[in-house]
Amino acid sequence: MKAPPVLDPALVGTYPPEANAGGGYVWDAVLEYRVWCYPERGAADLADGSDYYYPFETYEEALAFSQETQGAEEPLALIVQEEYIDEPEEGRYVHVKARRVAEWPVAFLSRPKRTPRTIPDFMAADAPKNKLDILRGLA
C-alpha cells in the first residue's frame, strides 16, 4: 500500500498532540504521520519522562525514523473525518456529521477514502449483509 499524502504539508507539526484513537470507519484526509517515542522503552528523555512524538509529512520518513530510533513506535496517521460512523454497541451504527481528528494505524488507510456515497450506502436498508464490504471497497 502506498500511504496517501498529507492534506497540507505546511501544517504538519502544528496539530495538537491530543486526538481520538482509531474508530469511525472512514477517513477524509491525512493531516500528518506521527511517531511516538517512549523514554521508558529507551527513547531519549526530551519531555521530563513523558511520551512525545515527531510529526512527518510522509509515511516513508516516519517509518525510517521509527525503525532507527530506540523507544519509538510504528508510525500512526493523524486523520480527519468530516463525517464518520459510530458503533456505540456491536452491530448498531450511527452516522455522525461532525468533525473528528484521530490517530489511526497506517494500515487502516488501505480502506477507500470516504466519498459522498460511502456512509449513505453503508447505512442503507439494502446494504449488503456484511456492511464492512462497502468500506473495504468490495461492494
Side-chain angles (χ1 to χ4, degrees):
M1 172 192 99
K2 173 126 174 69
V6 298
L7 180 64
D8 186 344
L11 294 178
V12 170
T14 67
Y15 302 102
E18 300 81 18
N20 292 294
Y25 287 106
V26 295
W27 61 280
D28 288 292
V30 175
L31 302 176
E32 65 188 18
Y33 293 95
R34 291 179 167 181
V35 175
W36 282 91
C37 298
Y38 300 93
E40 70 274 9
R41 296 183 194 163
D45 188 354
L46 304 178
D48 295 322
S50 294
D51 306 336
Y52 57 93
Y53 71 92
Y54 288 94
F56 294 90
E57 184 178 326
T58 70
Y59 170 70
E60 293 76 18
E61 292 172 304
L63 181 61
F65 178 83
S66 73
Q67 291 173 337
E68 63 193 31
T69 304
Q70 186 172 348
E73 287 208 337
E74 297 237 348
L76 294 172
L78 185 69
I79 57 108
V80 64
Q81 299 163 310
E82 300 299 344
E83 300 178 28
Y84 60 94
I85 302 166
D86 188 25
E87 188 177 8
E89 56 190 54
E90 189 173 342
R92 186 169 74 84
Y93 302 102
V94 178
H95 182 178
V96 179
K97 294 181 181 182
R99 189 170 211 262
R100 180 176 186 268
V101 175
E103 287 182 338
W104 271 17
V106 175
F108 285 10
L109 298 175
S110 65
R111 299 174 185 164
K113 192 173 173 181
R114 184 182 67 82
T115 70
R117 293 291 332 143
T118 304
I119 297 175
D121 288 351
F122 182 91
M123 302 298 286
D126 64 346
K129 184 173 181 165
N130 185 355
K131 292 177 174 254
L132 296 178
D133 281 350
I134 292 170
L135 305 179
R136 295 178 182 125
L138 303 174

